[in-house]
Amino acid sequence: MMMPSVSLTRCALALGLALSLTACSTGPDAKDSDSGGLIKETPDSVGSANSDIATEISAGNAAFSDAKWADAAEAWGSAAAKRPTWDVHMNHAIALSLQPDFEGAIAEMRKAMSSGGDQQWQTWFNLGNIYTNRGLYEEAITAYRAGLSLHDRPHVESLLNISAAYMFLTQYDEARATSDYIVQLSPGDPRAYHNLALILQLEERYDRAIDAYEAVHRVDPDFAQSYFNKGVILGRHLDKGRDGAAAPDFEAIDVLVDVGEKSVEYIPVSYTHLRAHET
């Protein structure tokens, strides 16, 4: 069984990128086995000799679901000391990364790799997420690409994260090429269309970005991140409408209220932080 997703797609402004630290689906048609991460084990799923380890794993799962990162790390760390397999080390690393304890997380990922995790795409995927959360985007791309090499088909979540990392690096041509490839692979997934619109927004081509966000809603009318980003553009950057009249403030406000009603979370990186990488 797979653990519930704890997404990095939460918080304030513009990105709405599909980064996930855990195993559940982040896309409209993704399967748990395709989304990469935590491996759940319960006492009922193992022999009695290992029941104490399984109990610790279950305790870690429960703590992780409640966002109690330190408790999850303690439980999974204890389990890893008794059964040092790649998946338990990986779980421990994920919990450590969320405390955050970057050095500890990387140390655990090394243990996961040396225990067979170097042949598991999930380990590389989560290593990429840990690097992304630390702001080490080139290292993240390398890790995601290593994981891609272990797939028998293109992995959309990894490609989305690569596109995101290129955006943080302000390598917009590479980000756009990656997102275009995702559209070819999964034309019904709004996230790649959203990323293409976001690239235009970051390039300050706001009129084209508005058109691109509207195109996202033709694919998925309920994709709220794009409503939010469109509202930001209308509220902050376009003081005139397409017909030359002033864009009314309530248009942006209505868009933002619409997002709020959808209870969507946004990634914890602001537009200002992204733009700072250009200076």
Side-chain angles (χ1 to χ4, degrees), residues 116-274:
D118 60 333
Q119 298 302 309
Q120 307 294 329
W121 70 266
Q122 295 96 326
T123 314
W124 292 105
F125 180 80
N126 283 294
L127 178 61
N129 288 341
I130 290 170
Y131 279 135
T132 295
N133 209 28
R134 185 70 170 183
L136 299 173
Y137 304 116
E138 291 179 350
E139 291 85 347
I141 291 170
T142 298
Y144 292 132
R145 291 200 181 281
L148 281 170
S149 71
L150 297 172
H151 278 277
D152 58 1
R153 55 189 172 88
H155 184 237
V156 168
E157 270 67 28
S158 295
L159 291 166
L160 282 163
N161 292 2
I162 289 170
S163 175
Y166 278 133
M167 276 190 259
F168 282 113
L169 293 168
T170 67
Q171 296 180 22
Y172 298 136
D173 289 342
E174 291 84 351
R176 183 178 286 109
T178 305
S179 294
D180 283 336
Y181 179 48
I182 298 167
V183 168
Q184 295 177 30
L185 294 172
S186 185
D189 189 332
R191 296 172 297 173
Y193 297 96
H194 176 83
N195 284 357
L196 288 167
L198 176 55
I199 293 165
L200 292 167
Q201 183 176 355
L202 294 170
E203 293 173 330
E204 299 183 358
R205 294 192 279 175
Y206 297 122
D207 284 311
R208 290 189 60 187
I210 290 288
D211 291 338
Y213 284 127
E214 290 173 354
V216 176
H217 298 135
R218 289 193 289 273
V219 176
D220 182 355
D222 294 323
F223 196 76
Q225 290 95 322
S226 294
Y227 287 107
F228 184 87
N229 287 9
K230 179 183 174 185
V232 168
I233 293 173
L234 292 171
R236 294 183 182 178
H237 303 295
L238 295 182
D239 58 357
K240 293 184 178 181
R242 303 282 174 86
D243 60 356
D249 290 340
F250 70 82
E251 183 175 0
I253 293 171
D254 284 347
V255 170
L256 299 179
V257 169
D258 188 33
V259 169
E261 290 174 350
K262 295 175 187 298
S263 299
V264 170
E265 296 179 326
Y266 299 94
I267 72 169
V269 183
S270 69
Y271 176 83
T272 301
H273 175 71
L274 254 175

Side-chain angles (χ1 to χ4, degrees), residues 2-5 20-25 31-38:
M2 296 295 189
M3 282 290 291
S5 176
S20 173
L21 276 176
T22 60
C24 277
S25 172
K31 306 299 184 183
D32 285 351
S33 61
D34 287 339
S35 299
L38 300 179

